């Protein structure tokens, strides 16, 4: 049986980088069936909504989703705001597909160490941020203006169940690595953080094979710059994870290199449903020019093999093929250094696919 993959290229460079990820997956020798659908501004232009029901149906019927990116200046002023690509497509896609666990590795690729803003060995990070994605302040209600618009309210809300299921995922990921988990919260101030810590502590008592520590989010932001190598797996809530994962990713030096997974529960077959996408956006400034770096999309495809299809060996092969192309001196414009060979989006994809076939 082939793996059925929904491919949502989206806008800007999204379709360009996703095409390279598909190319690389096709070079693995694994049997895939790819179905393409519109999302974001492209879907809005086509039918008036950034997340058409047909796209959502295709995702539900697939084993996994590969997403490019959505949005761009063309749709920045679309009204109402719920029809804008980012708000009208990404947020409902995550909640409709119950993608509550965002997994973001930040790993420095050795050939690109010089691109890190940190000096020397401190630039060599290899950590994963597990961010809760469907709860907390981005989703809680009420969210409104009061007092003639002069007062604003957002609501941060977490239930025990939401903390338990994301923590379970983090324990599972920690078990595949160094078995060290840092849970990040703001328990000295926030009630939701106190519940978070309470639940994580209860689970730590039942999962003694993983060592668990807690860190306040402000300290974590500082420690990530001071000594990033102390971290292996970081578990945190939605808004803290949004900020911490961006900070961690910058240590590696380039936005165009970093993948992500957003996972739901395992299906009855045992397969974990997930959506896989680069962390970068649609980069309208370079769209259509063959200048986009496809590596983040390709590494997202590797994550798909690891998390949805339990195929660590093939995921590692793709990651090695990426490193090997970089070791040969191939560079897209965003990571170009003197002495290297400047290649286009498709040339980089071809080279990685070739390495994989070798
Ligand atoms: P961006 O990530 O698209 O681009 C930031 C900078 O990084 C740009 O200079 C761009 O050229 C460069 N860049 C990004 N990805 C690259 C790649 N693969 N190769 C080479 N260079 C790359 O962020 P932005 O400019 O803030 O946002 C552009 C649009 O994307 C906005 O509409 C935004 O809302 C949207 N966006 C979408 C997502 C998503 O779909 N998940 C995420 C972030 C931003």
């Amino acid at each position: 049986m082939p793996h059925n993959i929904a491919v949502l290229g989206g806008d800007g460079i999204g379709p360009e980088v996703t095409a390279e990820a598909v190319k690389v997956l096709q070079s693995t020798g694994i049997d895939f069936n790819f179905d393409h659908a519109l999302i974001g501004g492209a879907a809005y232009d086509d039918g008036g909504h950034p997340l058409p029901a047909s796209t959502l149906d295709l995702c539900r019927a697939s084993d996994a989703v590969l997403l490019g990116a959505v949005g761009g200046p063309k749709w920045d002023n679309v009204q109402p705001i719920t029809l804008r690509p980012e708000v009208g497509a990404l947020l409902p896609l995550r909640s409709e597909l119950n993608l509550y666990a965002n997994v973001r590795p930040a790993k420095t690729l050795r050939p690109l160490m010089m691109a890190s803003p940190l000096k020397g060995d401190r630039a060599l990070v290899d950590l994963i941020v597990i961010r809760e994605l469907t709860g907390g302040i981005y989703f809680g209600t009420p969210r409104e203006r009061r007092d003639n618009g002069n007062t604003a309210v957002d609501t941060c809300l977490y239930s025990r169940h939401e903390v338990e299921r994301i923590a379970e995922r983090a324990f599972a990921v920690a078990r595949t690595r160094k078995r060290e988990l840092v849970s990040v919260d703001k328990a000295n101030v926030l009630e939701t953080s106190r519940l978070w810590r309470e639940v994580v502590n209860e689970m730590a008592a039942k999962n003694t094979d993983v060592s668990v520590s807690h860190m306040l989010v402000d300290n974590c932001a500082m420690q990530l710059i001071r000594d990033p190598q102390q971290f292996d797996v970081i578990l945190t809530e939605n808004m803290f994870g949004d900020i911490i994962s961006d900070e961690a990713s910058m240590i590696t030096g380039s936005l165009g290199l970093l993948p992500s997974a957003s996972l739901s529960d395992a299906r009855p077959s045992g397969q974990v449903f997930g959506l896989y996408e680069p962390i970068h956006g649609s980069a309208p400034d370079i769209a259509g020019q063959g200048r986009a770096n496809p590596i983040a999309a390709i590494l997202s495809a590797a994550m798909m093999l690891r998390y949805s299809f339990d195929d660590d060996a093939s995921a590692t092969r793709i990651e090695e093929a990426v490193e090997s192309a970089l070791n040969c001196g191939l560079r897209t414009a965003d990571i170009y250094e003197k002495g290297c060979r400047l290649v286009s989006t498709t040339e980089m994809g071809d080279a990685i696919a070739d390495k994989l076939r070798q």
Side-chain angles (χ1 to χ4, degrees):
M1 283 278 281
H3 298 318
N4 292 311
I5 313 299
V7 182
L8 316 180
D11 305 315
I13 62 167
E16 300 169 42
V17 295
T18 311
E20 300 313 309
V22 168
K23 183 190 286 173
V24 167
L25 284 173
Q26 282 167 332
S27 313
T28 56
I30 301 167
D31 193 8
F32 290 105
N33 174 39
F34 296 102
D35 286 303
H36 295 255
L38 293 177
I39 191 166
Y44 176 80
D45 287 349
D46 183 68
H49 200 284
L51 182 61
S54 54
T55 297
L56 202 50
D57 288 345
L58 174 69
C59 294
R60 287 201 178 101
S62 302
D63 299 318
V65 181
L66 264 189
L67 176 72
V70 301
K74 185 178 175 194
W75 304 282
D76 278 352
N77 298 316
V78 166
Q79 291 293 345
I81 190 172
T82 48
L83 287 181
R84 283 190 207 156
E86 299 85 342
V87 181
L90 291 184
L91 295 183
L93 190 65
R94 287 171 188 165
S95 55
E96 287 290 329
L97 299 177
N98 196 25
L99 301 168
Y100 60 84
N102 187 225
V103 181
R104 275 190 38 181
K107 183 175 179 187
T108 318
L109 297 171
R110 271 188 182 270
L112 302 177
M113 240 177 101
M114 293 309 289
S116 172
L118 297 190
K119 287 190 214 128
D121 277 358
R122 241 192 298 168
L124 271 182
V125 297
D126 180 2
L127 59 88
I128 292 190
V129 179
I130 314 269
R131 165 190 169 195
E132 201 289 328
L133 201 59
T134 53
I137 201 162
Y138 293 169
F139 288 89
T141 52
R143 181 196 327 199
E144 62 195 21
R145 288 291 181 105
R146 294 174 186 165
D147 184 24
N148 290 327
N150 294 313
T151 303
V153 182
D154 291 296
T155 304
C156 187
L157 192 143
Y158 269 111
S159 69
R160 168 173 287 273
H161 166 68
E162 287 173 303
V163 185
E164 274 170 358
R165 64 182 185 174
I166 186 75
E168 228 160 71
R169 187 73 66 167
F171 277 99
V173 172
R175 232 168 244 126
T176 65
R177 296 171 53 100
K178 292 185 186 162
R179 295 176 182 256
E180 288 168 12
L181 184 62
V182 178
S183 175
V184 171
D185 61 34
K186 189 73 183 166
N188 55 343
V189 178
L190 298 177
E191 204 50 48
T192 40
S193 279
R194 277 194 277 271
L195 173 68
W196 184 279
R197 199 176 273 218
E198 203 175 291
V199 174
V200 171
N201 274 335
E202 285 168 19
M203 293 178 70
K206 291 183 206 141
N207 293 275
T208 49
D209 59 327
V210 175
S211 97
V212 176
S213 58
H214 301 275
M215 194 178 276
L216 296 175
V217 63
D218 39 350
N219 186 24
C220 179
M222 186 264 281
Q223 295 294 339
L224 269 171
I225 302 300
R226 198 186 70 86
D227 176 19
Q229 281 147 355
Q230 70 183 285
F231 297 104
D232 190 50
V233 180
I234 295 175
L235 161 67
T236 192
E237 60 95 75
N238 203 344
M239 183 168 68
F240 298 159
D242 195 0
I243 299 164
I244 288 294
S245 59
D246 263 21
E247 184 187 352
S249 63
M250 260 332 284
I251 300 173
T252 68
S254 171
L255 214 56
L257 297 170
L258 294 168
S260 78
S262 301
L263 308 176
S264 183
D265 289 319
R267 288 181 166 165
S269 61
Q271 201 170 64
V272 172
F273 179 77
L275 178 144
Y276 301 86
E277 59 179 323
I279 68 158
H280 60 72
S282 59
D285 52 333
I286 56 165
Q289 300 170 27
R291 288 172 60 200
N293 188 341
I295 290 180
I298 290 168
L299 292 176
S300 301
M303 287 188 86
M304 183 179 88
L305 295 177
R306 177 169 291 128
Y307 288 99
S308 277
F309 303 120
D310 208 13
D311 188 350
D312 204 54
S314 302
T316 305
R317 273 177 60 221
I318 293 180
E319 288 159 358
E320 285 169 359
V322 167
E323 204 141 342
S324 164
L326 292 171
N327 276 330
C328 289
L330 303 188
R331 299 283 189 277
T332 44
D334 56 313
I335 51 173
Y336 181 75
E337 300 162 70
K338 220 168 146 205
C340 292
R341 197 178 125 215
L342 183 66
V343 294
S344 68
T345 310
T346 48
E347 284 169 331
M348 182 60 99
D350 287 343
I352 294 168
D354 280 350
K355 298 273 174 209
L356 202 56
R357 276 190 225 98
Q358 278 163 19

